Amino acid sequence: MPQELRARREALRRGQTSLTQQLERLTEVYLAGVVGLEEYRRRRRDIEQRLQALATQERQLAAQTDRQADIARSAKASSKPPGSRGGS
């Protein structure tokens, strides 16, 4: 996997970890009575939407990585001499 894609995947995972931690802290704050139920629900919904967006981006990145790997394999196979492609 190219380094750029690896870095992007790692950034997405860090973002997911950060949002998960925010969600945990929000729940702790709600349970401590610092924020009300409506505020808790609003903030939780926002965090969950952001988590879903990151998950979507991660799936798209995985698909892009698969496509690039397929292209690389095709290019490698087509650059081999005719007799070395496993035919006959």
Side-chain angles (χ1 to χ4, degrees), residues 22-83:
Q22 286 180 39
L23 193 53
E24 290 170 1
R25 285 192 302 270
L26 175 62
T27 301
E28 290 170 4
V29 167
Y30 166 70
L31 292 173
V34 177
V35 297
L37 181 59
E38 288 306 312
E39 180 71 8
Y40 170 75
R41 286 179 177 163
R42 184 187 65 75
R43 290 185 187 183
R44 181 179 179 95
R45 195 170 32 250
D46 178 55
I47 292 170
E48 288 174 341
Q49 288 172 348
R50 291 164 51 197
L51 276 167
Q52 288 176 347
L54 289 179
T56 298
Q57 290 177 31
E58 190 171 22
R59 284 191 300 274
Q60 290 169 342
L61 183 63
Q64 180 182 359
T65 302
D66 290 345
R67 282 191 303 274
Q68 287 187 351
D70 289 344
I71 291 168
R73 280 191 295 275
S74 294
K76 186 175 180 181
S78 65
S79 67
K80 291 182 180 178

